[in-house]
Amino acid sequence: MTNVCGSRLRAVAVFTRILLGLLLLSAIELRAADPLPPDDGKLRIVVFGAHPDDAEYKAGGVAAKWAKLGHHVKLCSVTNGDIGHWQMAGGPLAQRRAAESAAVAKKLGVTSQVLDIHDGELEPTLENRRLITKVIREWKADIVIAHRPWDYHPDHRYVGILVQDAAFMVTVPFFCPDTPYLKKNPVFLYSSDMFQKPYPFKPDVVVSIDDVFDQKIEALYELESQIYEGGAGGSEEFVRTVPPASDVAGRKAWLKQKWHERHSREADRFRDILNEFYGAERAKAVNHAEAFELCEYGRKPTAADLRQLFPFFEAKGQ
């Protein structure tokens, strides 16, 4: 009898944990139903990242710049990040990271969305192709940015593949016919990385983010689980190297220095492309940059189109 009672109690405990997890994840899904932007003629941009920090890291600066001009930006995490920490996991971590992502988006002036797919388990399935296609269609995207499909993390790679797979399907009327298809294919781009095979990242547009660099730092400050606790690669030893939560100014200074190094490397690495967009004199003064490479799928923009899609440069000759 004791064994039977014990088994029942364990079954109830397991069911309760599952139910709590579903409730937590449903809270994340409620955020996915944010209202769509109006049809006001402004640009619509979706930046896909594998986890609730990737899109923010890769394109937080240009997202803020677009938002300041009234354009509509969505940062979409394709997984919920529920194993992206060394101390916690599951529903509580997914909920925490969704809240962090929403806080970043608020400071950047953009929208965030977290899809309900387990961290580390993303696969390039038909179901996920449909899901990505619907996200792009619902936003009526003019621009879509994602990881390149060769990356150190399988989730990153499969985000790249899924977005590539959606690049044609978003315009096909009878694929996902429940979501109106796009009559104009978006421009698809990759965010930057350091990987060399099969070929190194080759940017087609590089943007100075000097004017929004402090805003990006203020926004990234909200990613506490990843930045100040180290995410999946963190440890007690790492946390001891970071200014404590009580030292807000110290934490922000620490963060600013790290991202200054990262974005200044990007500016130096692609100074020749900055010259093309800003002219040599202005390009020389750029300290922080974000860079993007055109995907060969989707709409093929001209050089003039790129300047309209990234409306941060003076017209040539000015």
Side-chain angles (χ1 to χ4, degrees):
M1 185 68 175
T2 303
N3 289 340
V4 172
C5 290
S7 298
R8 287 177 177 172
L9 287 172
R10 283 193 294 274
V12 169
V14 169
F15 176 78
T16 301
R17 285 197 296 272
I18 292 171
L19 181 60
L20 285 172
L22 289 172
L23 288 172
L24 289 168
L25 290 176
S26 69
I28 297 169
E29 278 299 286
L30 286 175
R31 279 211 317 101
D34 287 343
L36 297 174
D39 288 324
D40 55 5
K42 293 291 188 178
L43 293 170
R44 294 159 174 259
I45 301 99
V46 178
V47 184
F48 287 102
H51 310 100
D53 61 355
D54 288 316
E56 294 83 350
Y57 288 163
K58 295 291 188 177
V62 290
K65 290 171 76 76
W66 272 313
K68 283 179 183 294
L69 295 175
H71 303 297
H72 308 294
V73 185
K74 172 179 283 190
L75 306 181
C76 182
S77 173
V78 181
T79 78
N80 60 24
D82 59 358
I83 60 168
H85 202 278
W86 58 282
Q87 256 188 336
M88 62 185 300
L93 179 59
Q95 186 181 45
R96 182 185 182 192
R97 296 191 67 184
E100 289 177 347
S101 182
V104 173
K106 184 176 181 180
K107 287 189 173 181
L108 294 176
V110 305
T111 295
S112 72
Q113 181 176 10
V114 178
L115 303 182
D116 187 14
I117 299 172
H118 289 302
D119 187 348
E121 299 183 15
L122 182 65
E123 293 184 308
T125 62
L126 177 57
E127 179 185 9
N128 288 335
R129 185 189 305 167
R130 289 180 176 136
L131 180 58
I132 296 300
T133 296
K134 288 180 179 182
V135 171
I136 295 169
R137 285 180 175 179
E138 287 171 354
W139 200 251
K140 299 179 183 177
D142 299 295
I143 302 168
V144 178
I145 299 173
H147 302 286
R148 293 201 298 167
W150 34 87
D151 200 305
Y152 77 104
H153 196 300
D155 289 345
H156 290 210
R157 291 197 296 273
Y158 293 144
V159 166
I161 288 171
L162 285 163
V163 171
Q164 283 186 342
D165 288 351
F168 177 73
M169 304 311 293
V170 294
T171 65
V172 177
F174 292 103
F175 184 74
C176 302
D178 57 326
T179 308
Y181 67 96
L182 299 184
K183 296 182 180 179
K184 184 179 180 181
N185 210 328
V187 170
F188 289 80
L189 301 107
Y190 301 123
S191 53
S192 69
D193 60 49
M194 299 296 292
F195 302 106
Q196 302 298 301
K197 297 178 180 179
Y199 72 88
F201 176 80
K202 299 176 181 178
D204 293 280
V205 57
V206 183
V207 179
S208 168
I209 60 165
D210 286 340
D211 56 328
V212 293
F213 180 67
D214 288 341
Q215 182 182 358
K216 182 171 181 176
I217 297 306
E218 282 292 323
L220 295 185
Y221 175 78
E222 301 293 339
L223 296 173
E224 181 181 37
S225 69
Q226 305 305 297
I227 287 176
Y228 299 115
E229 296 172 12
S235 64
E236 291 181 2
E237 291 76 18
F238 170 79
V239 171
R240 285 197 290 269
T241 70
V242 178
S246 58
D247 182 8
V248 174
R251 280 195 160 198
K252 289 182 178 180
W254 177 88
L255 176 62
K256 187 171 184 177
Q257 180 58 34
K258 286 190 170 296
W259 281 85
H260 164 71
E261 293 169 2
R262 179 167 175 166
H263 283 311
S264 62
R265 281 197 305 269
E266 202 86 331
D268 290 339
R269 185 179 166 203
F270 303 124
R271 191 74 59 183
D272 56 335
I273 310 297
L274 286 169
N275 289 344
E276 293 179 18
F277 283 94
Y278 292 96
E281 196 61 33
R282 288 188 62 201
K284 194 191 311 180
V286 173
N287 293 313
H288 309 101
E290 290 176 349
F292 306 93
E293 176 184 350
L294 282 170
C295 172
E296 62 183 336
Y297 309 148
R299 183 156 62 95
K300 306 297 187 294
T302 64
D305 291 335
L306 274 181
R307 287 177 176 268
Q308 291 181 337
L309 295 169
F310 290 81
F312 316 126
F313 315 108
E314 293 178 352
K316 280 192 172 182
Q318 290 187 320

